[in-house]
Amino acid sequence: MELKKTENEISELVTLYEDLRGKLMSVVDSCKDAGAIEGEEEQCGNDDPDYKGGTVVLSIPPSMEDIIILHDDVTNSISFELERGHLLQHISLDQWNQLQWSRTHILDGLQTLQPRMDRFQKKLADIDPITGNPRYGEHTQKRVQSILHTYNGLVAAQEQHLPPMEVLEQIIQQKKEEEALRQEQLQKEEQLKQLVQQQQQQLEEQLRIQEQFLQKQKEEEERRKLAELAEKSRLQRMGLEQQRQEEERQRLEKIQLEEQSWENSIPKGSMNQQLEILRASTTVDGDYTIAIQSLHRLFQQILAKPEQVSFRKIRRDHPQFTKDIGRHAGGKEFLISAGFHLSDDEDNIPCFLSKEPDLENDMDAWSDWYSNIKSVVEILEQELEGIKKKKTKK
Protein backbone atom coordinates (compact mmCIF):
# COMPACT_ATOMS: atom_id res chain seq x y z
CA MET A 1 0.00 0.00 0.00
CA GLU A 2 2.78 2.43 0.94
CA LEU A 3 4.68 1.69 -2.29
CA LYS A 4 1.59 2.22 -4.44
CA LYS A 5 0.74 5.46 -2.59
CA THR A 6 4.28 6.68 -3.08
CA GLU A 7 4.20 5.89 -6.81
CA ASN A 8 1.01 7.94 -7.14
CA GLU A 9 2.50 10.88 -5.23
CA ILE A 10 5.69 10.75 -7.32
CA SER A 11 3.52 10.69 -10.46
CA GLU A 12 1.67 13.79 -9.25
CA LEU A 13 4.99 15.58 -8.60
CA VAL A 14 6.19 14.63 -12.11
CA THR A 15 3.00 16.11 -13.55
CA LEU A 16 3.53 19.30 -11.48
CA TYR A 17 7.16 19.44 -12.62
CA GLU A 18 6.25 19.14 -16.30
CA ASP A 19 3.48 21.71 -15.83
CA LEU A 20 5.94 24.13 -14.21
CA ARG A 21 8.43 23.48 -17.00
CA GLY A 22 5.71 24.29 -19.54
CA LYS A 23 4.88 27.51 -17.67
CA LEU A 24 8.54 28.56 -17.68
CA MET A 25 8.72 27.89 -21.41
CA SER A 26 5.56 30.01 -21.86
CA VAL A 27 7.19 32.88 -19.94
CA VAL A 28 10.29 32.69 -22.14
CA ASP A 29 8.19 32.51 -25.33
CA SER A 30 6.19 35.58 -24.25
CA CYS A 31 9.40 37.49 -23.65
CA LYS A 32 10.77 36.33 -27.02
CA ASP A 33 7.65 37.64 -28.76
CA ALA A 34 8.07 40.98 -26.93
CA GLY A 35 11.79 41.14 -27.81
CA ALA A 36 12.81 40.92 -24.14
CA ILE A 37 15.53 38.21 -24.45
CA GLU A 38 18.90 39.67 -23.48
CA GLY A 39 20.88 36.49 -24.17
CA GLU A 40 20.49 32.72 -24.54
CA GLU A 41 23.13 30.19 -23.63
CA GLU A 42 23.70 26.60 -22.47
CA GLN A 43 24.11 26.43 -18.70
CA CYS A 44 25.46 23.70 -16.43
CA GLY A 45 25.82 23.41 -12.66
CA ASN A 46 23.85 25.27 -10.04
CA ASP A 47 23.36 28.81 -11.44
CA ASP A 48 20.53 30.08 -9.26
CA PRO A 49 18.15 32.45 -11.13
CA ASP A 50 18.58 35.86 -9.61
CA TYR A 51 18.54 39.54 -10.45
CA LYS A 52 21.53 40.64 -12.53
CA GLY A 53 21.38 44.38 -12.94
CA GLY A 54 18.21 44.97 -14.91
CA THR A 55 17.72 41.33 -15.86
CA VAL A 56 16.49 38.02 -14.39
CA VAL A 57 17.94 34.63 -15.40
CA LEU A 58 15.39 31.82 -15.81
CA SER A 59 16.33 28.25 -16.72
CA ILE A 60 14.32 25.70 -18.70
CA PRO A 61 15.09 22.43 -16.86
CA PRO A 62 15.38 19.08 -18.65
CA SER A 63 12.18 17.13 -19.18
CA MET A 64 11.35 14.15 -17.01
CA GLU A 65 11.79 11.98 -20.13
CA ASP A 66 15.43 13.13 -20.30
CA ILE A 67 15.87 12.49 -16.59
CA ILE A 68 14.08 9.13 -16.26
CA ILE A 69 13.91 7.41 -19.65
CA LEU A 70 16.99 8.75 -21.43
CA HIS A 71 18.99 9.04 -18.19
CA ASP A 72 20.22 12.45 -19.33
CA ASP A 73 22.53 14.50 -17.11
CA VAL A 74 20.14 16.54 -14.96
CA THR A 75 22.57 19.47 -14.88
CA ASN A 76 21.94 20.23 -18.56
CA SER A 77 19.48 23.05 -19.15
CA ILE A 78 18.97 26.21 -21.16
CA SER A 79 19.05 29.53 -19.37
CA PHE A 80 17.67 32.83 -20.60
CA GLU A 81 18.64 36.29 -19.42
CA LEU A 82 15.39 38.23 -19.47
CA GLU A 83 14.89 41.97 -19.09
CA ARG A 84 13.27 42.52 -15.73
CA GLY A 85 11.05 45.32 -17.01
CA HIS A 86 9.66 43.12 -19.80
CA LEU A 87 8.99 40.31 -17.32
CA LEU A 88 6.90 42.67 -15.23
CA GLN A 89 5.20 44.20 -18.26
CA HIS A 90 4.39 41.13 -20.37
CA ILE A 91 3.93 38.39 -17.76
CA SER A 92 0.72 38.73 -15.76
CA LEU A 93 0.44 38.53 -11.99
CA ASP A 94 -1.71 35.40 -12.42
CA GLN A 95 1.11 33.69 -14.35
CA TRP A 96 3.61 34.53 -11.60
CA ASN A 97 1.20 33.23 -8.96
CA GLN A 98 0.80 29.98 -10.88
CA LEU A 99 4.59 29.58 -11.07
CA GLN A 100 4.87 30.19 -7.34
CA TRP A 101 2.05 27.73 -6.59
CA SER A 102 3.64 24.96 -8.69
CA ARG A 103 7.09 25.66 -7.24
CA THR A 104 5.74 25.57 -3.68
CA HIS A 105 3.84 22.30 -4.17
CA ILE A 106 6.85 20.57 -5.76
CA LEU A 107 9.10 21.65 -2.89
CA ASP A 108 6.53 20.66 -0.24
CA GLY A 109 5.91 17.32 -1.94
CA LEU A 110 9.63 16.47 -2.09
CA GLN A 111 10.10 17.42 1.56
CA THR A 112 7.10 15.28 2.57
CA LEU A 113 8.46 12.28 0.68
CA GLN A 114 12.02 12.62 2.03
CA PRO A 115 11.61 10.35 5.14
CA ARG A 116 9.85 7.70 3.04
CA MET A 117 12.60 7.80 0.40
CA ASP A 118 15.19 7.31 3.12
CA ARG A 119 13.36 4.20 4.34
CA PHE A 120 13.06 2.80 0.81
CA GLN A 121 16.76 3.42 0.21
CA LYS A 122 17.69 1.65 3.45
CA LYS A 123 15.44 -1.36 2.83
CA LEU A 124 16.75 -1.66 -0.72
CA ALA A 125 20.20 -2.46 0.72
CA ASP A 126 18.90 -4.78 3.47
CA ILE A 127 19.61 -8.56 3.23
CA ASP A 128 17.45 -11.19 4.88
CA PRO A 129 19.73 -12.81 7.53
CA ILE A 130 18.10 -16.23 7.09
CA THR A 131 17.84 -16.55 3.31
CA GLY A 132 20.65 -14.16 2.41
CA ASN A 133 18.38 -12.61 -0.23
CA PRO A 134 17.47 -8.92 -0.53
CA ARG A 135 14.47 -7.73 1.47
CA TYR A 136 12.63 -6.76 -1.72
CA GLY A 137 11.83 -9.17 -4.50
CA GLU A 138 13.03 -8.50 -8.02
CA HIS A 139 9.78 -6.85 -9.14
CA THR A 140 9.52 -4.70 -6.00
CA GLN A 141 13.19 -3.73 -6.29
CA LYS A 142 12.60 -2.35 -9.77
CA ARG A 143 9.61 -0.36 -8.56
CA VAL A 144 11.54 1.08 -5.61
CA GLN A 145 14.57 1.87 -7.78
CA SER A 146 12.33 3.62 -10.32
CA ILE A 147 10.73 5.69 -7.54
CA LEU A 148 14.12 6.64 -6.06
CA HIS A 149 15.55 7.50 -9.48
CA THR A 150 12.58 9.74 -10.29
CA TYR A 151 12.64 11.34 -6.84
CA ASN A 152 16.37 12.05 -6.97
CA GLY A 153 15.99 13.48 -10.47
CA LEU A 154 13.24 15.82 -9.26
CA VAL A 155 15.32 16.90 -6.24
CA ALA A 156 18.34 17.65 -8.42
CA ALA A 157 16.27 19.49 -11.03
CA GLN A 158 14.45 21.68 -8.50
CA GLU A 159 17.65 22.51 -6.64
CA GLN A 160 19.66 23.39 -9.74
CA HIS A 161 17.20 24.84 -12.23
CA LEU A 162 13.79 25.75 -10.83
CA PRO A 163 13.44 29.41 -9.82
CA PRO A 164 14.18 30.02 -6.10
CA MET A 165 11.12 30.97 -4.08
CA GLU A 166 12.65 34.30 -3.05
CA VAL A 167 13.02 35.35 -6.70
CA LEU A 168 9.39 34.54 -7.45
CA GLU A 169 8.28 36.31 -4.26
CA GLN A 170 10.31 39.41 -5.20
CA ILE A 171 8.81 39.57 -8.68
CA ILE A 172 5.27 38.91 -7.42
CA GLN A 173 5.63 41.62 -4.76
CA GLN A 174 6.91 44.13 -7.31
CA LYS A 175 4.14 43.12 -9.73
CA LYS A 176 1.58 43.75 -6.97
CA GLU A 177 3.17 47.12 -6.17
CA GLU A 178 3.11 48.11 -9.84
CA GLU A 179 -0.52 47.04 -10.12
CA ALA A 180 -1.36 49.08 -7.02
CA LEU A 181 0.41 52.11 -8.50
CA ARG A 182 -1.39 51.61 -11.79
CA GLN A 183 -4.76 51.46 -10.04
CA GLU A 184 -3.86 54.55 -8.01
CA GLN A 185 -2.90 56.40 -11.20
CA LEU A 186 -6.14 55.35 -12.89
CA GLN A 187 -8.07 56.58 -9.85
CA LYS A 188 -6.25 59.92 -9.92
CA GLU A 189 -6.91 60.29 -13.63
CA GLU A 190 -10.58 59.54 -13.09
CA GLN A 191 -10.76 62.06 -10.23
CA LEU A 192 -9.04 64.67 -12.39
CA LYS A 193 -11.42 63.91 -15.24
CA GLN A 194 -14.41 64.35 -12.93
CA LEU A 195 -12.96 67.59 -11.56
CA VAL A 196 -12.44 68.96 -15.08
CA GLN A 197 -15.97 67.96 -16.03
CA GLN A 198 -17.34 69.60 -12.91
CA GLN A 199 -15.42 72.81 -13.57
CA GLN A 200 -16.55 72.75 -17.18
CA GLN A 201 -20.16 72.37 -16.09
CA GLN A 202 -19.77 75.24 -13.62
CA LEU A 203 -18.23 77.41 -16.31
CA GLU A 204 -20.97 76.54 -18.78
CA GLU A 205 -23.61 77.35 -16.18
CA GLN A 206 -21.89 80.64 -15.33
CA LEU A 207 -21.67 81.55 -19.01
CA ARG A 208 -25.30 80.55 -19.56
CA ILE A 209 -26.47 82.77 -16.72
CA GLN A 210 -24.29 85.61 -17.96
CA GLU A 211 -25.57 85.19 -21.51
CA GLN A 212 -29.16 85.19 -20.30
CA PHE A 213 -28.45 88.27 -18.22
CA LEU A 214 -26.85 90.09 -21.16
CA GLN A 215 -29.63 89.02 -23.53
CA LYS A 216 -32.22 90.21 -21.07
CA GLN A 217 -30.42 93.51 -20.69
CA LYS A 218 -30.21 93.87 -24.46
CA GLU A 219 -33.90 93.14 -24.92
CA GLU A 220 -34.87 95.47 -22.12
CA GLU A 221 -32.58 98.15 -23.52
CA GLU A 222 -34.21 97.83 -26.93
CA ARG A 223 -37.66 97.97 -25.39
CA ARG A 224 -36.60 100.90 -23.28
CA LYS A 225 -35.30 102.81 -26.27
CA LEU A 226 -38.47 102.18 -28.20
CA ALA A 227 -40.56 103.15 -25.21
CA GLU A 228 -38.36 106.17 -24.62
CA LEU A 229 -38.75 107.36 -28.18
CA ALA A 230 -42.48 106.93 -28.01
CA GLU A 231 -42.67 108.60 -24.61
CA LYS A 232 -40.41 111.42 -25.68
CA SER A 233 -42.62 112.07 -28.67
CA ARG A 234 -45.66 111.99 -26.44
CA LEU A 235 -44.08 114.29 -23.88
CA GLN A 236 -42.99 116.66 -26.61
CA ARG A 237 -46.52 116.74 -27.83
CA MET A 238 -47.99 117.09 -24.40
CA GLY A 239 -45.23 119.14 -22.87
CA LEU A 240 -45.02 116.82 -19.89
CA GLU A 241 -41.29 116.90 -19.28
CA GLN A 242 -41.77 116.31 -15.60
CA GLN A 243 -43.50 113.00 -16.27
CA ARG A 244 -40.60 111.90 -18.51
CA GLN A 245 -38.13 112.65 -15.74
CA GLU A 246 -40.16 110.57 -13.34
CA GLU A 247 -40.12 107.67 -15.80
CA GLU A 248 -36.36 108.01 -16.20
CA ARG A 249 -35.94 107.89 -12.44
CA GLN A 250 -37.98 104.69 -12.27
CA ARG A 251 -35.95 103.13 -15.06
CA LEU A 252 -32.69 103.93 -13.32
CA GLU A 253 -34.08 102.59 -10.09
CA LYS A 254 -34.99 99.32 -11.83
CA ILE A 255 -31.50 99.00 -13.29
CA GLN A 256 -30.05 99.70 -9.88
CA LEU A 257 -32.18 96.95 -8.34
CA GLU A 258 -31.10 94.46 -11.02
CA GLU A 259 -27.46 95.36 -10.51
CA GLN A 260 -27.87 95.05 -6.77
CA SER A 261 -29.43 91.61 -7.24
CA TRP A 262 -26.50 90.53 -9.41
CA GLU A 263 -24.03 91.88 -6.84
CA ASN A 264 -25.80 90.06 -3.99
CA SER A 265 -25.67 86.78 -5.95
CA ILE A 266 -21.87 86.71 -5.70
CA PRO A 267 -20.64 85.28 -2.34
CA LYS A 268 -18.32 87.60 -0.46
CA GLY A 269 -14.89 86.07 0.05
CA SER A 270 -15.27 83.64 -2.88
CA MET A 271 -12.10 84.92 -4.56
CA ASN A 272 -10.64 81.45 -5.18
CA GLN A 273 -13.86 80.25 -6.80
CA GLN A 274 -13.94 83.30 -9.08
CA LEU A 275 -10.29 82.69 -10.02
CA GLU A 276 -11.24 79.16 -11.13
CA ILE A 277 -13.99 80.61 -13.33
CA LEU A 278 -11.61 83.28 -14.64
CA ARG A 279 -8.94 80.66 -15.43
CA ALA A 280 -11.43 78.52 -17.32
CA SER A 281 -12.83 81.44 -19.34
CA THR A 282 -9.44 82.75 -20.57
CA THR A 283 -8.91 80.47 -23.55
CA VAL A 284 -6.23 82.57 -25.22
CA ASP A 285 -2.70 81.90 -23.93
CA GLY A 286 -1.54 84.73 -21.66
CA ASP A 287 -4.97 86.29 -21.00
CA TYR A 288 -5.20 84.72 -17.53
CA THR A 289 -1.73 85.95 -16.56
CA ILE A 290 -2.60 89.50 -17.73
CA ALA A 291 -5.84 89.43 -15.75
CA ILE A 292 -4.12 88.27 -12.54
CA GLN A 293 -1.30 90.81 -12.97
CA SER A 294 -3.84 93.63 -13.47
CA LEU A 295 -5.87 92.58 -10.42
CA HIS A 296 -2.70 92.32 -8.34
CA ARG A 297 -1.53 95.77 -9.42
CA LEU A 298 -4.96 97.24 -8.59
CA PHE A 299 -5.14 95.79 -5.06
CA GLN A 300 -1.46 96.50 -4.41
CA GLN A 301 -2.09 100.19 -5.10
CA ILE A 302 -5.01 100.20 -2.67
CA LEU A 303 -2.86 98.46 -0.06
CA ALA A 304 -0.10 101.04 -0.48
CA LYS A 305 -2.40 104.10 -0.45
CA PRO A 306 -5.81 103.16 0.96
CA GLU A 307 -6.77 106.82 1.29
CA GLN A 308 -6.40 107.38 -2.48
CA VAL A 309 -9.96 107.25 -3.87
CA SER A 310 -8.79 106.95 -7.49
CA PHE A 311 -7.17 103.60 -6.67
CA ARG A 312 -10.39 102.30 -5.14
CA LYS A 313 -12.65 103.38 -8.02
CA ILE A 314 -12.77 101.62 -11.42
CA ARG A 315 -14.94 102.77 -14.31
CA ARG A 316 -16.96 99.82 -15.52
CA ASP A 317 -16.64 100.87 -19.15
CA HIS A 318 -12.93 101.69 -19.02
CA PRO A 319 -11.34 100.14 -22.16
CA GLN A 320 -8.21 98.85 -20.38
CA PHE A 321 -10.24 97.33 -17.56
CA THR A 322 -12.57 95.66 -20.06
CA LYS A 323 -9.63 94.31 -22.10
CA ASP A 324 -7.64 92.94 -19.15
CA ILE A 325 -10.34 91.88 -16.68
CA GLY A 326 -13.94 92.82 -17.40
CA ARG A 327 -14.47 90.84 -20.60
CA HIS A 328 -13.68 87.51 -18.90
CA ALA A 329 -16.20 85.55 -16.85
CA GLY A 330 -15.09 85.73 -13.23
CA GLY A 331 -13.23 89.05 -13.60
CA LYS A 332 -15.94 91.44 -12.42
CA GLU A 333 -17.16 88.79 -10.00
CA PHE A 334 -13.70 88.66 -8.39
CA LEU A 335 -13.92 92.38 -7.55
CA ILE A 336 -17.35 91.95 -5.95
CA SER A 337 -16.19 88.89 -3.96
CA ALA A 338 -13.17 90.92 -2.77
CA GLY A 339 -15.30 93.75 -1.33
CA PHE A 340 -16.01 96.11 -4.27
CA HIS A 341 -19.56 97.42 -4.85
CA LEU A 342 -21.42 98.73 -7.88
CA SER A 343 -21.68 102.51 -7.70
CA ASP A 344 -21.75 105.75 -9.74
CA ASP A 345 -19.10 108.45 -9.47
CA GLU A 346 -19.72 112.16 -9.19
CA ASP A 347 -20.42 112.32 -12.96
CA ASN A 348 -22.96 109.49 -12.72
CA ILE A 349 -20.58 107.15 -14.56
CA PRO A 350 -21.02 103.49 -13.46
CA CYS A 351 -18.00 102.17 -11.59
CA PHE A 352 -16.74 99.57 -9.11
CA LEU A 353 -15.94 101.11 -5.73
CA SER A 354 -14.16 99.80 -2.64
CA LYS A 355 -15.41 102.07 0.11
CA GLU A 356 -12.92 102.83 2.88
CA PRO A 357 -14.47 102.93 6.38
CA ASP A 358 -13.94 106.04 8.49
CA LEU A 359 -10.67 105.40 10.32
CA GLU A 360 -11.36 107.89 13.11
CA ASN A 361 -14.93 106.89 13.88
CA ASP A 362 -14.80 103.13 13.24
CA MET A 363 -11.31 101.72 13.71
CA ASP A 364 -12.52 98.08 13.82
CA ALA A 365 -14.35 98.34 10.50
CA TRP A 366 -11.35 100.01 8.88
CA SER A 367 -9.00 97.28 10.19
CA ASP A 368 -11.27 94.54 8.83
CA TRP A 369 -11.45 96.29 5.46
CA TYR A 370 -7.67 96.73 5.24
CA SER A 371 -7.02 93.12 6.33
CA ASN A 372 -9.31 91.94 3.56
CA ILE A 373 -7.30 93.94 1.00
CA LYS A 374 -4.11 92.29 2.30
CA SER A 375 -5.68 88.84 2.03
CA VAL A 376 -6.70 89.51 -1.57
CA VAL A 377 -3.15 90.60 -2.42
CA GLU A 378 -1.77 87.40 -0.86
CA ILE A 379 -4.17 85.25 -2.88
CA LEU A 380 -3.16 86.99 -6.11
CA GLU A 381 0.54 86.72 -5.25
CA GLN A 382 0.13 82.98 -4.66
CA GLU A 383 -1.63 82.67 -8.01
CA LEU A 384 1.18 84.60 -9.76
CA GLU A 385 3.74 82.33 -8.10
CA GLY A 386 1.83 79.28 -9.35
CA ILE A 387 1.81 80.70 -12.90
CA LYS A 388 5.54 81.34 -12.66
CA LYS A 389 6.24 77.77 -11.52
CA LYS A 390 4.17 76.31 -14.38
CA LYS A 391 6.14 78.37 -16.88
CA THR A 392 9.41 77.26 -15.29
CA LYS A 393 8.39 73.57 -15.60
CA LYS A 394 7.62 74.04 -19.29
Side-chain angles (χ1 to χ4, degrees):
M1 290 293 292
E2 184 180 41
L3 184 57
K4 182 61 178 177
K5 177 182 177 182
T6 304
E7 286 176 331
N8 292 336
E9 292 177 1
I10 286 290
S11 178
E12 291 176 0
L13 288 180
V14 169
T15 301
L16 275 176
Y17 175 85
E18 289 293 354
D19 180 65
L20 178 57
R21 183 173 180 271
K23 290 174 181 176
L24 288 171
M25 292 177 68
S26 177
V27 168
V28 171
D29 289 341
S30 296
C31 290
K32 280 183 177 180
D33 293 340
I37 300 295
E38 282 287 327
E40 181 176 343
E41 58 182 351
E42 293 290 333
Q43 294 286 333
C44 295
N46 189 19
D47 282 338
D48 286 340
D50 202 355
Y51 287 97
K52 294 186 177 180
T55 64
V56 173
V57 176
L58 288 182
S59 297
I60 303 300
S63 68
M64 288 308 298
E65 182 180 13
D66 293 335
I67 295 173
I68 300 171
I69 300 176
L70 301 180
H71 302 283
D72 194 270
D73 185 356
V74 78
T75 60
N76 290 334
S77 67
I78 301 176
S79 294
F80 296 89
E81 187 174 2
L82 308 175
E83 292 182 11
R84 179 167 164 268
H86 282 278
L87 280 176
L88 294 170
Q89 180 180 358
H90 298 288
I91 309 304
S92 69
L93 180 60
D94 184 58
Q95 287 177 280
W96 287 117
N97 284 330
Q98 289 178 12
L99 284 172
Q100 185 187 40
W101 184 90
S102 298
R103 184 71 178 87
T104 300
H105 279 68
I106 290 173
L107 184 60
D108 291 345
L110 292 174
Q111 290 175 348
T112 301
L113 287 173
Q114 179 66 54
R116 213 180 305 168
M117 293 299 104
D118 292 342
R119 291 198 304 272
F120 284 147
Q121 186 68 48
K122 182 179 179 182
K123 285 185 179 181
L124 194 63
D126 282 351
I127 301 296
D128 189 303
I130 297 174
T131 63
N133 296 324
R135 287 283 187 182
Y136 292 132
E138 181 179 355
H139 178 68
T140 304
Q141 275 188 348
K142 290 181 179 180
R143 291 174 64 187
V144 171
Q145 288 171 349
S146 176
I147 290 174
L148 290 172
H149 179 69
T150 304
Y151 177 82
N152 291 332
L154 283 171
V155 170
Q158 74 89 18
E159 289 179 348
Q160 297 178 28
H161 301 294
L162 295 186
M165 291 299 296
E166 60 268 19
V167 173
L168 293 176
E169 289 171 356
Q170 288 174 357
I171 294 177
I172 289 172
Q173 180 60 31
Q174 187 163 3
K175 190 72 176 177
K176 288 180 179 179
E177 292 174 356
E178 289 188 355
E179 179 64 20
L181 289 174
R182 189 181 73 83
Q183 291 298 329
E184 182 180 355
Q185 182 63 29
L186 288 175
Q187 185 178 7
K188 288 182 179 179
E189 290 175 358
E190 181 62 25
Q191 290 175 347
L192 179 60
K193 180 180 177 181
Q194 293 177 359
L195 178 60
V196 171
Q197 290 177 345
Q198 183 180 6
Q199 291 177 344
Q200 182 64 29
Q201 290 173 355
Q202 290 177 349
L203 173 60
E204 290 175 356
E205 180 65 14
Q206 183 79 23
L207 293 176
R208 185 186 67 79
I209 293 175
Q210 185 179 24
E211 184 178 354
Q212 288 181 346
F213 177 75
L214 294 175
Q215 182 63 28
K216 183 178 179 181
Q217 276 192 329
K218 181 179 179 181
E219 293 173 355
E220 290 182 353
E221 181 65 17
E222 290 176 352
R223 288 196 294 268
R224 184 193 66 78
K225 287 182 179 180
L226 291 174
E228 187 178 72
L229 288 174
E231 183 65 11
K232 185 175 181 180
S233 176
R234 187 182 71 83
L235 291 176
Q236 286 177 347
R237 292 193 305 269
M238 297 180 64
L240 300 177
E241 183 63 22
Q242 183 178 1
Q243 184 176 353
R244 188 196 68 78
Q245 292 177 354
E246 176 61 16
E247 293 293 331
E248 178 66 13
R249 186 191 66 77
Q250 292 179 2
R251 183 185 71 82
L252 293 175
E253 181 178 341
K254 181 180 179 181
I255 293 175
Q256 185 178 9
L257 289 174
E258 290 176 349
E259 290 179 343
Q260 189 63 45
S261 176
W262 172 78
E263 179 179 333
N264 292 338
S265 70
I266 301 170
K268 298 301 182 287
S270 63
M271 287 81 75
N272 287 322
Q273 179 182 349
Q274 303 308 325
L275 286 180
E276 290 292 332
I277 296 174
L278 178 60
R279 184 186 297 109
S281 66
T282 50
T283 57
V284 178
D285 189 22
D287 280 357
Y288 181 68
T289 302
I290 293 173
I292 297 301
Q293 290 174 340
S294 299
L295 287 168
H296 179 261
R297 184 165 51 252
L298 188 155
F299 281 92
Q300 189 65 46
Q301 288 175 339
I302 298 175
L303 192 64
K305 294 184 178 181
E307 73 281 0
Q308 191 72 32
V309 178
S310 60
F311 291 156
R312 296 184 281 106
K313 181 174 64 176
I314 307 168
R315 286 179 52 181
R316 284 186 251 172
D317 61 349
H318 194 285
Q320 193 64 44
F321 167 77
T322 301
K323 178 182 177 183
D324 294 348
I325 302 172
R327 66 191 176 98
H328 305 300
K332 296 176 182 178
E333 289 81 358
F334 182 90
L335 292 176
I336 298 300
S337 68
F340 275 76
H341 300 280
L342 297 176
S343 181
D344 294 332
D345 64 7
E346 57 273 14
D347 298 322
N348 290 325
I349 297 176
C351 63
F352 291 96
L353 177 66
S354 178
K355 187 175 181 181
E356 178 188 19
D358 191 330
L359 180 61
E360 294 182 358
N361 296 327
D362 196 346
M363 182 64 181
D364 290 340
W366 189 92
S367 297
D368 292 341
W369 172 81
Y370 190 75
S371 295
N372 180 66
I373 297 297
K374 290 174 65 178
S375 298
V376 175
V377 171
E378 290 175 359
I379 291 173
L380 292 170
E381 287 177 349
Q382 291 176 359
E383 194 68 16
L384 286 173
E385 184 64 22
I387 293 172
K388 183 178 179 182
K389 289 181 178 179
K390 289 182 179 179
K391 289 183 177 179
T392 302
K393 288 182 179 180
K394 292 181 179 179

